[in-house]
Amino acid sequence: LVEDTVLNQTFRTELNEVRNLLQKRAKAFIEEAKQIGLKHYPYVSGFFVTIPVESPKKVFERLKEQDIFVVPLSNAIRVALAAITELEIIGLPTKIKREIEKA
């Protein structure tokens, strides 16, 4: 990869495409979250958006019943942006907020 310039450039192109895809997904999620008042920890980059939650296991179980899979932490849940499509992000913050409010 280091010695083959064509392979290196292909890798860098793919890496940039994936980064851009993650940024688009994050932007869509965060914009909707902001519109509906769903709080989240600051997002700079990465695979997850983390949302503070008082009852993460309860929220996890409620979302799982709707085939929405998040990662429960001690006082938060994580949404894996890398594991869902842009289309699946539409409405996701609203669904998450609804279940947090029920918990």
Side-chain angles (χ1 to χ4, degrees):
L1 184 64
V2 174
E3 295 174 3
D4 186 329
T5 55
V6 173
L7 190 58
N8 186 288
Q9 186 57 45
T10 301
F11 168 74
R12 290 183 183 279
T13 300
E14 289 177 10
L15 184 61
N16 283 333
E17 289 172 2
V18 170
R19 282 184 182 149
N20 290 336
L21 183 60
L22 280 172
Q23 286 295 333
K24 283 176 72 174
R25 292 175 184 177
K27 182 179 179 187
F29 187 93
I30 290 167
E31 283 179 359
E32 184 177 335
K34 184 177 180 180
Q35 289 175 358
I36 63 166
L38 176 63
K39 295 180 192 236
H40 59 85
Y41 290 107
Y43 177 87
V44 177
S45 65
F47 299 104
F48 299 97
V49 171
T50 305
I51 302 165
V53 178
E54 289 182 20
S55 304
K57 288 183 182 178
K58 188 182 271 187
V59 172
F60 164 78
E61 291 296 334
R62 289 176 172 266
L63 290 169
K64 186 172 79 169
E65 290 172 4
Q66 301 172 52
D67 291 329
I68 299 170
F69 299 95
V70 296
V71 179
L73 304 172
S74 58
N75 288 313
I77 58 171
R78 280 188 162 175
V79 178
L81 299 174
I84 55 179
T85 67
E86 284 182 76
L87 213 75
E88 291 171 318
I89 288 175
I90 299 169
L92 183 59
T94 301
K95 293 173 185 173
I96 291 171
K97 183 178 181 191
R98 182 175 54 233
E99 297 310 326
I100 290 171
E101 290 172 347
K102 287 181 184 177

